[in-house]
Amino acid sequence: MAIADAAMGLFVAHGFDRVTVAEVADAARVSINTVFNYFPTKEDLFFDRQAEVVDRLAGAVRQRADDESPAAAVRRLFLDELRRNEPTLGLSAEAATFWQLVDDSPALQARLRLLGEQTEAALAAAITESAGAGKRDATPRLLAAVLAGIDRALHAEIRHRLQSGDPPDAVRRDIRKAAGAFEAVAGLGAR
């Protein structure tokens, strides 16, 4: 969307915390109200694909085959994202700039943590529903915490490696191997 693109250009040029929503509106040639109609907060302008990111693991569990475990579904999704070079993995040299903006902004760091919590909660709900578990059954929540934790750790490794200057192809190769961590929990939890 043009508004988010204009915002990102300003964030890269000046830093997230130094850019106002009014400046974004001016750059996108829209009113401030229009910006807020599409993006309730300034952080939403930065993380403009957050709904998709929050639902990705839960979606993998909801769409899995009957004989596939939640862990196998999440692993399959992650490996598929690596194969198709999913932009939200951040496997490009340009992603280092994105992550530097996050590192430089307490507000973006807080939003990133919130997105992680929301992703885990959505995954727990999908596992609970697919297993027919009761509200007092902690197993789906524990399994979601482990799977979301592995996913977050893989994303963090991508981030750290790219920020260290490692080439994206080398990072992709190593992360593919590291995704074997999902297999360690494949036998946990209900189908």
Side-chain angles (χ1 to χ4, degrees):
M1 167 172 253
I3 297 171
D5 291 343
M8 189 57 74
L10 290 171
F11 298 152
V12 169
H14 305 289
F16 178 81
D17 294 328
R18 292 188 179 147
V19 174
T20 67
V21 174
E23 291 169 325
V24 171
D26 187 51
R29 299 175 193 249
V30 298
S31 72
I32 294 173
N33 286 341
T34 299
V35 174
F36 283 123
N37 284 340
Y38 289 99
F39 302 96
T41 69
K42 190 167 93 169
E43 291 79 8
D44 294 325
L45 283 163
F46 187 85
F47 291 113
D48 62 321
R49 297 181 69 182
Q50 63 189 343
E52 163 186 341
V53 169
V54 165
D55 191 54
R56 60 184 271 283
L57 301 181
V61 169
R62 286 191 303 269
Q63 297 168 9
R64 68 191 166 95
D66 290 338
D67 62 343
E68 186 177 37
S69 72
V74 169
R75 179 178 184 270
R76 179 180 43 76
L77 169 72
F78 188 87
L79 292 174
D80 180 57
E81 290 172 341
L82 276 175
R83 270 191 297 281
R84 40 183 186 88
N85 200 27
E86 166 59 39
T88 58
L89 285 178
L91 266 166
S92 68
E94 299 80 32
T97 300
F98 178 91
W99 290 118
Q100 190 60 55
L101 286 165
V102 173
D103 287 346
D104 293 343
S105 171
L108 293 177
Q109 291 171 25
R111 176 56 67 94
L112 188 61
R113 284 189 299 277
L114 176 63
L115 293 175
E117 292 170 9
Q118 291 172 335
T119 298
E120 185 177 315
L123 178 58
I127 294 170
T128 298
E129 182 181 324
S130 71
K135 290 181 180 181
R136 293 182 184 217
D137 185 351
T139 304
R141 289 186 299 281
L142 297 173
L143 180 58
V146 171
L147 293 174
I150 292 170
D151 186 69
R152 267 192 308 274
L154 290 169
H155 279 82
E157 186 63 19
I158 291 169
R159 174 183 178 177
H160 296 303
R161 294 274 308 271
L162 288 175
Q163 285 181 302
S164 296
D166 291 353
D169 288 338
V171 175
R172 182 179 289 103
R173 182 185 61 246
D174 294 345
I175 291 298
R176 184 175 290 114
K177 291 177 191 171
F182 286 117
E183 294 172 7
V185 295
L188 298 177
R191 293 234 176 239

